[in-house]
Amino acid sequence: MNGTVAEAVRPPRKAQSADFVAWLVTTDHKRIGVLYMCTSFAFFLIAGILALAIRAQLAAPGLSVVGPHAFNELFTLHGTAMIFLFVAPFGLGLANYLVPLQVGAADMAFPRVNALSYWLFVAGGLTVFSGAATNGGAADAGWFAYAPLSDIRNGSGAGMDLWIVGLLMVSAASIMTGINLLATSLLYRAPGMTMWRLPVFTWEMIVTSILILMAFPPLATALAMVFVDRRLGGHFFDAAHGGNPILYQHLFWFFGHPEVYIMILPFFGVVSETIPVFSRKPVFGYVGLVLSALAIGGLSVGVWAHHMFATGAVTNSFFSAVSFLIAVPTGVKFFNWIGTMWRGQLTFPTPMLFSIGFLLNFLIGGITGVIMASPPVDFHIEDTYFIVAHLHYVLMGGSVFAIFAAIYFWFPKVFGFRLGETLGKWSFWMMLPGFNLTFFPMHVLGLWGMPRRVVTYPALAGWAHLNLLATAGSVLLALGVLLTVVNVWLSSRRPTPAGDDPWGGYSLEWVTTSPPPEHNYEWIPAIRSERPAYDMRQTAAKAP
Amino acid sequence: MKTGTRMFLSSAAFGAAIASIYWYVSHETVGTMLLALIGVALLFVAAYIFLTVRGDRRQVAADAADAQPQDAAGEIIGPLPAESVWPIMLAIGVVLALDGLVYGVWLAVLGFIFATFSGVALFRESR
């Protein structure tokens, strides 16, 4: 058990060495956070390469860049990496770094468990990808691995099994991190940091953590049952022997839809931190932002079967109604962000640009989500490219743009120097059009009937020019991402010290040094509002 | 921790309510059970916070709007662990055990032994 920074007397930690081994055995939440974010970003780059291969295959009708089986492996690994190994874990990594700092704690509640979570995440990710080296190839049943596609007859051999056990490890890691974040944010707050003074990012992580604890156990259960079916002769999902494939869909989507919010709520938190700072205003409607996060979290557990409308085996009216309802708290957040910017002294450094990109893209993804909540519309577009466009507007245009905002915003705090603004803006202005060129045409392709997960399509279908446009856009998007990688490399070669608070930040982490000391704070100010760093600057300015 | 307790209590009530509504409109057992269990789990957390955390001096200071930084000072509850080899060792053990389910029982047994040893060491180090 650990103490908080507020304790006046505290035994010193052992000195940390900066060598490689020290990173392997670290239990410091800041180092683990950095490891989490770097590892998940590496998985993102791999997933991006897989996506480029998919787009190369679909650039024109009748191409044979990859074969049908390899194509199945590509979209399975791409989806798995993006969802299980990048977007959600990056949010957890960011929270690992920020939550103890934002609540005024010296570390996470359970530092060793925190380290175990990270290493299980790494092991799970590598296990999933190790399937590619097996005789049957990697898993090929899509990222949601429906039965019977994932059974022993259809799913590729050991690759599918490794996918299952890999995701079991990732599930365990996520659950442990969720417990850790919840305990830290609830029980390790500094004096005066009342719940209603917590930064919005920390609130979003509280809701995210609760969702993790609700959602991942059903996933682990479903995966274990698939494994039993495949390896131990079970028939949970085998209709021919009395099993029920629909049960798998229930269990999977009971995880899967809250998972969407596990992947988006942390980034609602990110833009709720960046937009006020670059509008030079307090966030508009703090209580509304918090309550809407809780409402989204609550409603998100009641929408799982809107992914199953077309099965005819669920109560469509209930899931449709709750799916419509969840747009309300999400809309509240949009009004909060717009209200924050309204009549603010807006500036547009790179983190703000990516935050606005998030707003624009996520708005489109959110609206198409409402459209699909209507079962008659869903019947028409189910399993078409419209779905692919929608989910990418939410997760790539939404979450990933906010991830880039977070990288540019907190990089100076983590490493003590800023990323180059020029390259950052170039990166944004390539990613925004690149993203929209790639995914907006997919709405149209979906409405025209192009099914998802097809390796090729006939020339006569009339889908060629929009597919070519999407492929061209994906190249531009990839170059934009690459520019940020180059930016990190160039900025680290010639680091310019950023100071402790380069943006004039509001939350508590901007009070401490950049990078923070081992115990996060040498001293801590009296906390009197949800903007302690701002309060401290104001007090200093008024001092004689 | 009134806010935390209220948050979990109201969330538990929401779980019970949505489970009831879902059962009423669908009569579907899997989803109803999952939703009801969410309510039970959240109630458990609320009860834990209510019974174990209330009165804790650090929590009182955290929840006091006019608290000073030194209000929670004084109690030494042990050093923060800076480094530990056991988390990574335990993770390696778990990987071997689970991958052993795919590649062979011998690897699973090896992994299980490795994980058990590392887990015990991690537990002993944490005491």
Side-chain angles (χ1 to χ4, degrees):
Chain A
M1 192 56 77
N2 318 297
T4 70
V5 75
E7 290 158 4
V9 183
R10 182 178 52 216
R13 277 181 169 182
K14 285 188 290 182
Q16 283 180 317
S17 53
D19 61 13
F20 178 70
V21 176
W23 280 85
L24 293 182
V25 298
T26 186
T27 55
D28 181 341
H29 75 97
K30 296 183 290 298
R31 284 190 166 192
I32 292 170
V34 170
L35 286 169
Y36 241 117
M37 288 186 276
C38 291
T39 309
S40 60
F41 202 87
F43 282 123
F44 168 57
L45 295 178
I46 294 168
I49 292 167
L50 300 177
L52 286 174
I54 292 170
R55 286 312 321 164
Q57 168 63 24
L58 295 173
L63 291 180
S64 300
V65 178
V66 294
H69 181 66
F71 189 80
N72 290 350
E73 292 175 73
L74 283 178
F75 69 68
T76 300
L77 287 181
H78 167 74
T80 304
M82 287 298 290
I83 284 169
F84 293 102
L85 307 176
F86 173 52
V87 179
F90 193 95
L92 295 180
L94 187 64
N96 237 300
Y97 195 95
L98 285 180
V99 166
L101 284 166
Q102 290 195 333
V103 304
D107 205 321
M108 295 281 266
F110 311 110
R112 295 182 186 87
V113 172
N114 199 25
L116 176 61
S117 303
Y118 168 71
W119 289 112
L120 278 180
F121 158 67
V122 175
L126 293 177
T127 300
V128 166
F129 273 94
S130 71
T134 60
N135 283 337
D140 59 355
W143 76 270
F144 37 79
Y146 274 174
L149 295 176
S150 58
D151 71 16
I152 197 71
R153 294 181 300 275
N154 298 307
S156 59
M160 191 71 224
D161 296 316
L162 290 168
W163 184 89
I164 292 167
V165 296
L167 290 191
L168 280 171
M169 292 179 224
V170 173
S171 301
S174 301
I175 290 168
M176 285 190 281
T177 302
I179 292 169
N180 226 334
L181 287 171
L182 208 50
T184 306
S185 48
L186 291 178
L187 305 177
Y188 283 77
R189 289 169 290 126
M193 181 61 84
T194 65
M195 292 291 285
W196 291 106
R197 287 175 183 167
L198 287 175
V200 177
F201 177 79
T202 297
W203 263 114
E204 301 283 355
M205 288 315 304
I206 289 173
V207 180
T208 303
S209 302
I210 295 172
L211 285 180
I212 286 172
L213 300 183
M214 302 296 107
F216 272 90
L219 172 71
T221 305
L223 292 174
M225 290 162 83
V226 174
F227 193 86
V228 169
D229 276 10
R230 288 175 58 85
R231 285 279 171 166
L232 304 173
H235 301 292
F236 289 115
F237 308 125
D238 181 2
H241 292 84
N244 184 0
I246 297 295
L247 173 62
Y248 177 82
Q249 295 193 26
H250 273 296
L251 289 171
F252 184 85
W253 289 116
F254 200 83
F255 150 80
H257 206 83
E259 168 73 352
V260 172
Y261 292 96
I262 290 167
M263 288 188 284
I264 197 72
L265 285 174
F267 306 111
F268 285 173
V270 166
V271 297
S272 299
E273 298 289 323
T274 56
I275 288 174
V277 168
F278 298 115
S279 303
R280 311 314 300 164
K281 280 175 64 185
V283 71
F284 174 75
Y286 170 88
V287 174
L289 273 170
V290 172
L291 293 181
S292 61
L294 289 165
I296 289 171
L299 292 170
S300 74
V301 298
V303 298
W304 75 91
H306 72 208
H307 296 270
M308 299 162 62
F309 282 154
T311 63
V314 295
T315 310
N316 287 359
S317 54
F318 175 86
F319 293 105
S320 178
V322 183
S323 301
F324 281 130
L325 208 54
I326 207 166
V328 175
T330 312
V332 167
K333 284 186 177 296
F334 261 85
F335 284 115
N336 285 134
W337 295 322
I338 293 167
T340 304
M341 287 190 282
W342 184 256
R343 293 187 172 173
Q345 295 174 3
L346 296 177
T347 53
F348 297 97
T350 310
M352 184 63 161
L353 289 179
F354 275 107
S355 300
I356 290 173
F358 161 89
L359 293 184
L360 298 173
N361 295 329
F362 185 80
L363 184 63
I364 296 172
I367 288 172
T368 52
V370 176
I371 292 170
M372 293 189 306
S374 170
V377 178
D378 185 78
F379 291 152
H380 179 65
I381 56 181
E382 174 74 14
D383 278 334
T384 70
Y385 259 84
F386 193 92
I387 307 286
V388 179
H390 160 72
L391 75 92
H392 280 89
Y393 265 89
V394 171
L395 297 179
M396 181 74 198
S399 299
V400 176
F401 270 64
I403 284 173
F404 277 74
I407 290 171
Y408 280 93
F409 188 63
W410 278 292
F411 197 92
K413 177 54 61 184
V414 176
F415 295 106
F417 60 93
R418 286 166 70 151
L419 291 173
E421 272 294 294
T422 307
L423 273 180
K425 286 179 176 170
W426 270 99
S427 175
F428 170 76
W429 286 115
M430 290 174 80
M431 283 178 67
L432 186 71
F435 167 79
N436 281 284
L437 279 175
T438 306
F439 294 105
F440 199 84
M442 292 183 189
H443 291 111
V444 183
L445 285 167
L447 292 174
W448 286 353
M450 181 170 173
R452 67 194 294 194
R453 297 178 174 177
V454 286
V455 65
T456 188
Y457 48 92
L460 289 174
W463 303 332
H465 58 291
L466 286 182
N467 269 296
L468 185 60
L469 190 62
T471 301
S474 69
V475 174
L476 189 60
L477 176 60
L479 289 174
V481 172
L482 194 62
L483 269 188
T484 286
V485 176
V486 171
N487 198 2
V488 171
W489 181 64
L490 287 178
S491 301
S492 61
R493 279 171 59 93
R494 288 186 292 276
T496 310
D500 295 340
D501 185 6
W503 310 114
Y506 293 161
S507 44
L508 195 58
E509 75 270 22
W510 300 107
V511 168
T512 191
T513 56
S514 299
E518 196 182 340
H519 291 302
N520 292 345
Y521 293 94
E522 299 298 340
W523 62 278
I524 209 159
I527 297 161
R528 293 291 176 267
S529 77
E530 71 270 18
R531 297 194 297 167
Y534 174 83
D535 293 343
M536 198 184 77
R537 283 198 303 275
Q538 293 299 105
T539 307
K542 287 175 187 167
Chain B
M1 279 306 290
K2 278 184 185 169
T3 307
T5 310
R6 282 180 192 154
M7 179 178 74
F8 282 103
L9 269 180
S10 54
S11 303
F14 176 81
I18 198 168
S20 306
I21 295 168
Y22 181 64
W23 173 252
Y24 179 75
V25 299
S26 72
H27 288 86
E28 191 269 310
T29 49
V30 176
T32 307
M33 279 298 293
L34 288 168
L35 290 171
L37 284 173
I38 278 184
V40 173
L42 291 167
L43 190 63
F44 179 82
V45 179
Y48 175 82
I49 292 175
F50 181 74
L51 293 173
T52 64
V53 176
R54 64 176 175 165
D56 179 274
R57 204 155 56 86
R58 276 185 304 148
Q59 294 308 313
V60 171
D63 288 332
D66 57 351
Q68 293 296 327
Q70 63 270 23
D71 286 356
E75 184 188 4
I76 302 174
I77 53 174
L80 289 158
E83 295 175 345
S84 172
V85 73
W86 298 115
I88 190 171
M89 300 302 269
L90 178 55
I92 291 169
V94 172
V95 174
L96 294 177
L98 286 177
D99 284 2
L101 297 176
V102 180
Y103 289 115
V105 176
W106 63 272
L107 189 60
V109 171
L110 186 70
F112 181 76
I113 294 167
F114 200 80
T116 305
F117 179 77
S118 305
V120 169
L122 181 66
F123 180 76
R124 289 169 66 92
E125 189 185 63
S126 303
R127 288 171 67 189

